[in-house]
Amino acid sequence: MPCRRTVAPLVALALLPLAVAGTASAQVARFELGRRLQAFEELWERVDDAARARATPELVAATTAFFGLRLSAAAQRLDMALFALQAAAPASDEQAWFASLSCVPSRRFLDPAVDELTVRVQRLYDDDDDRVLPKGVRVRLALTAQGRNAVVAEVSLDAAETGVVLPVGDLGEGVFTLTCGVSTAERKLGEIAQPVVCAQGLAQRLAALTPITPTPATADDHDTATLRYLERLLAPAARGHTAETDLPYLALLRDAEAIVRARADGTSFVATAPRGERWLCLALGNRRLPVRIHAPAAGELPASRPLLLLLHGAGGSENMFFDTYGAGTYVARARERGWIVASPRSAGEAAADLVDALAAIYPVDRAKVYMVGHSMGAMQAIGVATGEAAPKFAAVAALGGGGRIARRADLTGRRFYVATGDQDFARAGARSLHDALERAKANVTWKEHVDTEHLGIVQRAAGDVFAWIENIGAAK
């Protein structure tokens, strides 16, 4: 059966060390790993426990590859885990060969009037993979908008990779879907889809953001910090840099332009509490903290809302919980409940200050501030929630991670949820954390999930975590 792989906003795995992210090839691999992870997580939600158990060994092997910085091997193991979810039988050679492909545009953010768009179809796996190119493979590339083809090209794939220049000069401003369909003479193998964003006058618009570079009088405000953050996302993308995720570049550019206009008017963009999904950077004392946030539309009741903070694992970013960790299930569940949800980049102790900053902008119910952390993020959450800032948090969930607690800490009545998997390498640390919380007289819930490893614990625990939080909130 043909396979469709959609590149919705994706992000690198929490286990992927940041050290590998500096080169162009590493960034492509980082992006591809995230794409494969989201496809796996989306299917994981729809299969039974037997299928999940089949996939666990491959997921464990992928984790080992991540830590060894063997990125192509990690991608291959994720693909094998996806096949294990689909069926007990091994993938055919053609299926496995198609899974190894990546479709890499030279730019994902461009000005169609001046920029060229080259698309490379290539393999991501190591050269020692023994599956050969099927005979008669053809690649059909299409750029579409609102279901209509704007650009189409079709070529034969008779080598390990091919590059195709797409004519984009007539495209207007907007978000287009780049689809790469792959087939043989006998059958369609599948397609890969991802967005390409076009902005008219892109270079001039980016240059117009420069005058807002902070002055001594504005260096500490959220608007200046956010604008500089958005510039760091937009400018590299316009030069052809592959980000870790498919960012909504046109929306980010328009937010940056709104900040410049607000500054010219003597007002503040961030202070208006922008709703929907936003990428902000908050000035917390001497620190600038990137935060991806979703806030419900203004005017909806109740006036004050619970706040859910999501702290990612090592090597992740503010995008991790929104795009992976169960294909964004924590954010989706929070949005369904009308909560404000925010995920900062490596917040650490700044998580407590972040609560105060968000409450000054958005209508946060200070009695219903919840925090969920994974791996390193779990350790950070425990560190903040067992220290002086503990009263700011109504409940904290630590998934796949441990954390230190002061020997004489008194956490009487404070609520914690600790979860791990039976195949999680952090299982012992999580168990020790649970025991330490009990000694500190906390109200702690413990759950160990079967056929679950370090990364999968976040998705596996999601339903339990939200049920636990809602029980706490109902009691207040």
Side-chain angles (χ1 to χ4, degrees), residues 314-334:
S317 74
E318 62 275 21
N319 299 306
M320 185 78 190
F321 264 102
F322 274 77
D323 297 334
T324 54
Y325 279 146
T329 187
Y330 284 76
V331 177
R333 290 168 188 260

Side-chain angles (χ1 to χ4, degrees), residues 102-123:
S102 60
C103 176
V104 185
S106 57
R107 299 172 185 271
R108 292 180 169 86
F109 184 39
L110 68 148
D111 183 343
V114 298
D115 292 327
E116 183 179 83
L117 180 63
T118 301
V119 180
R120 301 202 69 81
V121 181
Q122 60 194 36
R123 299 193 71 201

Side-chain angles (χ1 to χ4, degrees), residues 58 72 115 133 187 189 211 306 386 389 448 468:
E58 294 290 356
S72 64
D115 292 327
L133 176 71
R187 64 185 60 86
L189 300 182
T386 60
E448 181 174 321
W468 173 74

